[in-house]
Amino acid sequence: MGLSIGMGQDGILLYWARWDGEKLVHWDLNETQDRILADVHPGHGGVLTIEHYGSDLRLHALDGDPLALAEPGSHDEDQDQEPSFWDYGCGFVDAGTVIAATGDDEEDPHQAGHWLLDAHTLRTRGRVRYPDGPVAGYIRPLGDGTWLTFDSRLDTLNRWGAAPL
């Protein structure tokens, strides 16, 4: 079980525990008190966290050891400016794929976007291209190969899946 406790501007506490059949084994993952538990997937042996201010995504082993790191940066040649932070919307699309959102900046909406990442290395696979153009804002991965977005213009919840490569 993972537990993330938000303390507002003062940070986040993050704990991980499991029952080993006889006793509770737990880990304190609070090296900086600024990691948010983003997602887990039953088919993946890792835990996805995001830094409180969006400076990085990390994949951790179940004991808390970091396995992979993704920082926001230049992901797309067509993009004029580099996104400056990851948004809180991220998680496992399936056991092999993570989806993450870059910051939704009202002054520069081109910085916002959704990105597919390898779930084991957090290397960028590519930016999600939606049929009607970029979609900004929160995403909710469902773990079954799909994710949800909300279109505020049409008041519609949309379910998406990646096209096979």
Side-chain angles (χ1 to χ4, degrees), residues 78-89:
D78 298 332
Q79 191 170 328
D80 295 329
Q81 295 183 348
E82 294 183 8
S84 57
F85 63 95
W86 291 111
D87 206 344
Y88 297 120

Side-chain angles (χ1 to χ4, degrees), residues 54-155:
S55 67
D56 68 64
L57 295 174
R58 283 190 197 162
L59 180 67
H60 302 265
L62 295 181
D63 65 2
D65 287 342
L67 300 173
L69 172 76
E71 296 175 323
S74 183
H75 300 282
D76 188 350
E77 303 83 34
D78 298 332
Q79 191 170 328
D80 295 329
Q81 295 183 348
E82 294 183 8
S84 57
F85 63 95
W86 291 111
D87 206 344
Y88 297 120
C90 62
F92 290 97
V93 172
D94 55 38
T97 308
V98 165
I99 192 165
T102 47
D104 185 6
D105 185 346
E106 290 180 10
E107 293 179 15
D108 187 2
H110 298 290
Q111 285 190 359
H114 297 156
W115 304 87
L116 294 177
L117 311 172
D118 181 275
H120 301 284
T121 65
L122 296 183
R123 287 192 187 114
T124 303
R125 290 185 177 165
R127 186 175 190 161
V128 177
R129 306 272 183 213
Y130 294 99
D132 294 330
V135 173
Y138 291 108
I139 51 175
R140 179 65 187 136
L142 301 177
D144 64 355
T146 65
W147 65 92
L148 302 174
T149 62
F150 179 71
D151 185 336
S152 60
R153 296 170 297 143
L154 301 173
D155 255 359

Side-chain angles (χ1 to χ4, degrees), residues 17-27:
R18 70 177 177 83
W19 183 254
D20 72 358
E22 295 180 17
K23 63 180 179 180
L24 185 65
V25 178
H26 61 91
W27 298 271

